């Protein structure tokens, strides 16, 4: 019973930080509020993902020593505080302030929360780590779905989205014509800017209250608990040992490439859908809320599948499926149904990579030092976010379009299929017959 309480609490904690995936919903209004270029605003998301990795390593090391509850509360507070502080942008108009509050502070908090909660929950599912990890990380993926749904029902949002569309559309036309862009007529008015600031403040308060309350229910099963003791037996590799093992770098590269493919879609979801389909910003945001569901469900679905067919085979399928889908998306011909189906499947696989990788790491290196080991591996996530954002921003600024990214990413993911084949199948270290009783606990 306790493991379901911990898992349920963990999902609630993860919903708030998971709203980081909703950044493209806010990037257009932010650009239109302060006259920033969309590519400049997108860097806040990249910075958040980079510091997510830093926060994950820090939080993992602390959680292994002091437990997940303390770390998750700190992480939730930083994420909530970063959002709330973004409400001061109306006074500063500072792009650097956005980077610092949302990117550095918020991203660091997301990372601490992510790895600490995962470190607790995955230990409660020793014989079905793919399912347990996927179940929890589903909460992180569904964070954007829940957040988008709430924001859409908020009265001022439709007006913010329409104004952002007018701003980015005028900017794109100016860039295409190679003429100077007069931003003044398209900037948000004072009332609209205030609404945007209020959205950040309210979001921060909600993230902090609900996240901290749920985090108080977290705890790890102990090594002396008979139902879970077996997973602490056998070889339990420390972080220095893991860093000396070639398997770590293969897993790191797999996570990097999975994130690289997905972050180019997620960080520019609304403008990408508008370009490919001609939808309005409000309609694209509405469909995005539906598509975000795939990102969350993919974590549970592929995590559970990996328990049955193995982590290696699952990851090969994920890479191959994404490669093929990028090719399909490139030739979609503005077909709304095909675009939505393709992006949904890409996010299903992108989320699936996150659902499978924690159990892959624990199977290979053990769970005793999982927080530090997986916290280090998440550096691939942060690095891929920076590289992927630089890739798409450079391409978008040079060509005025997202279209040119599809085929190169497809080729990269096609080559990535061979990475999991370099590894043996998961060893599920530390599991013995005595653990079988825990699967029914």
């Amino acid at each position: 019973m306790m493991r379901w309480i911990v898992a349920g609490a963990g999902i609630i904690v993860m919903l708030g930080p998971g709203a980081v995936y909703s950044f493209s919903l806010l990037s257009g209004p932010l650009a239109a509020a302060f006259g920033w270029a969309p590519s400049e605003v997108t860097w806040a998301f990249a910075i958040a993902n980079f510091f997510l990795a830093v926060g994950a390593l820090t939080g993992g090391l602390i959680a292994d020593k002091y437990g997940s509850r303390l770390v998750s509360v700190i992480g939730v507070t930083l994420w909530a505080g970063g959002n709330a502080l973004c409400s001061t942008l109306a006074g500063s108009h500072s792009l650097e302030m956005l980077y610092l509050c949302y990117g550095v502070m918020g991203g660091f908090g997301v990372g601490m929360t992510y790895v600490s909660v995962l470190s607790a929950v995955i230990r409660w599912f020793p014989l079905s780590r793919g399912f347990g990890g996927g179940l929890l990380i589903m909460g992180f993926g569904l964070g954007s779905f829940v957040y988008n749904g709430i924001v859409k029902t908020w009265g001022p949002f439709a007006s913010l989205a329409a104004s952002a569309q007018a701003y980015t559309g005028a900017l794109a036309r100016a860039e295409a014509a190679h003429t100077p862009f007069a931003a003044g007529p398209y900037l948000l008015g004072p009332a609209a800017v205030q609404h945007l600031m209020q959205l950040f403040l309210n979001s921060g308060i909600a993230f902090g209250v609900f996240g901290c309350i749920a985090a108080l229910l977290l705890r790890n099963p102990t090594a002396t608990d008979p139902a879970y003791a077996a997973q602490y037996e056998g070889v339990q590799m420390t972080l220095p040992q893991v860093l000396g093992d070639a398997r770590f770098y293969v897993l790191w590269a797999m996570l990097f490439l999975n994130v690289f493919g997905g972050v180019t879609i997620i960080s520019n979801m609304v403008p990408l859908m508008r370009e490919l389909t001609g939808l309005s910003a409000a309609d694209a945001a509405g469909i995005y809320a539906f598509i975000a569901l795939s990102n969350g469900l993919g974590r549970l679905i592929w995590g559970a599948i990996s328990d049955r067919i193995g982590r290696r085979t699952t990851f090969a399928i994920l890479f191959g499926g994404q490669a093929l889908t990028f090719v399909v998306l490139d030739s979609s011909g503005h077909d709304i149904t095909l675009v939505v189906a393709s992006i949904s499947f890409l996010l299903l696989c992108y989320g699936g990579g996150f659902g499978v990788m924690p159990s892959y790491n624990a199977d290979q290196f053990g769970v005793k030092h999982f927080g530090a080991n997986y916290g280090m591996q998440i550096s691939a996530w942060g690095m891929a976010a920076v590289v992927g954002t630089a890739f798409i921003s450079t391409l978008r600024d040079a060509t005025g379009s997202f279209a040119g990214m599809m085929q190169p990413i497809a080729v990269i993911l096609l080559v990535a299929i061979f990475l999991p084949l370099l590894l043996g199948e998961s060893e599920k270290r530390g599991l013995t017959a005595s653990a079988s009783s825990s699967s029914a606990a």
Side-chain angles (χ1 to χ4, degrees):
M1 182 63 181
M2 178 53 67
R3 70 172 179 170
W4 295 111
I5 293 175
V6 172
I11 290 173
I12 295 173
V13 174
M14 287 290 220
L15 287 174
V20 70
Y21 281 134
S22 294
F23 186 74
S24 68
L25 202 66
L26 306 173
S27 60
L30 279 169
F34 306 114
W36 297 330
S39 58
E40 292 177 322
V41 178
T42 300
W43 273 105
F45 179 78
I47 293 170
N49 277 269
F50 177 81
F51 278 93
L52 183 156
V54 179
L57 176 57
T58 305
L61 289 166
I62 299 173
D64 283 343
K65 187 172 183 179
Y66 297 105
S68 297
R69 185 182 303 160
L70 171 65
V71 179
S72 62
V73 169
I74 295 173
V76 166
T77 301
L78 288 172
W79 165 242
N83 275 267
L85 286 173
C86 284
S87 65
T88 64
L89 289 171
S92 68
H93 289 223
S94 170
L95 190 62
E96 291 75 18
M97 187 68 174
L98 174 66
Y99 294 162
L100 179 63
C101 295
Y102 193 94
V104 178
M105 182 177 176
F108 194 90
V110 171
M112 290 190 75
T113 306
Y114 186 94
V115 76
S116 61
V117 180
L118 180 60
S119 180
V121 173
I122 201 170
R123 302 176 196 219
W124 289 94
F125 295 84
L127 293 182
S128 52
R129 288 172 179 158
F131 170 80
L135 179 67
L136 174 68
I137 300 173
M138 178 184 68
F140 187 83
L142 290 178
S144 62
F145 174 76
V146 174
Y147 186 74
N148 289 357
I150 294 173
V151 170
K152 277 181 57 186
T153 64
W154 182 57
F157 176 74
S159 176
L160 286 174
S163 298
Q165 179 181 359
Y167 175 87
T168 54
L171 176 60
R173 290 191 295 272
E175 290 176 342
H178 301 287
T179 59
F181 174 56
Y186 301 99
L187 294 178
L188 299 183
V193 172
Q194 187 57 42
H195 285 143
L196 181 60
M197 299 299 96
Q198 191 66 45
L199 176 58
F200 275 107
L201 179 60
N202 292 347
S203 298
I205 293 172
F207 295 153
V209 171
F210 289 104
C212 286
I213 290 174
L216 295 177
L217 297 175
L218 296 175
R219 76 174 182 87
N220 296 344
T222 66
T224 58
D225 188 328
Y228 299 95
Q231 66 181 320
Y232 295 98
E233 299 172 358
V235 177
Q236 302 288 325
M237 299 180 68
T238 64
L239 180 57
Q241 291 172 326
V242 167
L243 292 176
D245 193 312
R247 291 172 300 171
F248 171 80
Y249 298 97
V250 176
L251 293 174
W252 192 97
M254 289 165 58
L255 184 58
F256 175 91
L257 292 173
N258 188 72
V259 174
F260 177 82
V263 77
T264 54
I265 296 291
I266 289 178
S267 62
N268 297 279
M269 179 74 75
V270 172
L272 174 63
M273 289 185 62
R274 288 180 53 213
E275 178 183 315
L276 294 176
T277 64
L279 291 169
S280 68
D283 289 339
I287 295 176
Y288 175 36
F290 166 76
I291 291 176
L293 188 62
S294 298
N295 184 20
L297 294 178
R299 297 160 192 250
L300 175 61
I301 292 170
W302 288 106
I305 289 174
S306 74
D307 284 332
R308 296 187 175 276
I309 69 173
R311 323 293 186 209
R312 177 175 59 177
T313 303
T314 302
F315 247 101
I317 294 173
L318 290 174
F319 284 137
Q322 289 178 86
L324 178 61
T325 306
F326 268 108
V327 173
V328 172
L329 190 61
D330 186 48
S331 58
S332 59
H334 300 281
D335 184 309
I336 294 178
T337 301
L338 186 57
V339 169
V340 171
S342 297
I343 294 178
S344 295
F345 183 74
L346 284 173
L347 293 192
L348 193 76
C349 294
Y350 170 75
F354 285 112
V356 176
M357 189 55 77
S359 53
Y360 214 156
N361 181 287
D363 291 349
Q364 296 291 331
F365 308 126
V367 299
K368 186 176 182 180
H369 307 286
F370 174 82
N373 294 341
Y374 197 62
M376 176 59 76
Q377 190 178 337
I378 289 178
S379 63
W381 182 353
M383 188 63 67
V386 173
V387 174
T389 301
F391 171 78
I392 190 61
S393 296
T394 301
L395 187 64
R396 174 70 175 79
D397 290 344
T399 66
S401 169
F402 292 104
M405 73 178 186
M406 305 296 179
Q407 292 187 12
I409 295 176
V411 172
I412 291 171
L413 292 172
L414 189 63
V415 175
I417 294 174
F418 296 97
L419 283 174
L421 303 182
L422 297 175
L423 298 173
E425 192 47 82
S426 302
E427 299 178 34
K428 298 189 177 180
R429 288 175 177 265
L431 296 187
T432 65
S434 64
S436 61
S437 61
S438 68
S439 63

